[in-house]
Amino acid sequence: MIFDEQVITIISAEYLGEYKIKLSFNDNTIQVVDFFPFLNSSLNPLIRKYLDKQEFKKFKIDNGDLEWNDYDLCFPIADLYENNIKP
């Protein structure tokens, strides 16, 4: 859980395979987030394009956020921190 006074950012992200990314946060929390259920259940073609693993692996960290293609796809930091990416 993120408290109001906390400023949480992602400091590193490592692709583990099969749509899983290991995220390290600035408070030493580590989460392995599986994005497949979210991507696979989406009907939006702009999101489904990230089922292509070559596209999925093009993520980067920008100002502490995880994003793809200049924020074409991104998630709230609290959801990533709590590993709560819902389909």
Side-chain angles (χ1 to χ4, degrees):
M1 172 183 263
I2 298 176
F3 297 101
D4 288 339
E5 64 277 0
Q6 286 180 287
V7 176
I8 299 295
T9 60
I10 298 168
I11 56 173
S12 69
E14 176 186 354
Y15 178 69
L16 299 178
E18 298 304 315
Y19 307 98
K20 293 179 183 171
I21 299 176
K22 178 181 175 183
L23 300 173
S24 299
F25 297 86
N26 63 329
D27 69 346
N28 297 320
T29 296
I30 295 174
Q31 290 285 6
V32 174
V33 179
D34 183 359
F35 292 89
F36 182 76
F38 172 81
L39 296 171
N40 194 50
S41 67
S42 178
L43 300 177
N44 184 331
L46 296 175
I47 293 173
R48 289 190 63 81
K49 75 179 182 181
Y50 292 101
L51 284 168
D52 176 337
K53 287 185 184 169
Q54 294 306 313
E55 288 298 312
F56 181 78
K57 291 193 283 185
K58 293 179 182 177
F59 63 85
K60 68 178 185 174
I61 299 171
D62 185 21
N63 293 319
D65 290 323
L66 181 69
E67 61 93 8
W68 287 259
N69 195 25
D70 197 24
Y71 289 88
D72 186 37
L73 179 65
C74 63
F75 297 88
I77 195 83
D79 290 348
L80 296 170
Y81 185 84
E82 295 171 4
N83 201 347
N84 190 25
I85 305 300
K86 302 235 185 216

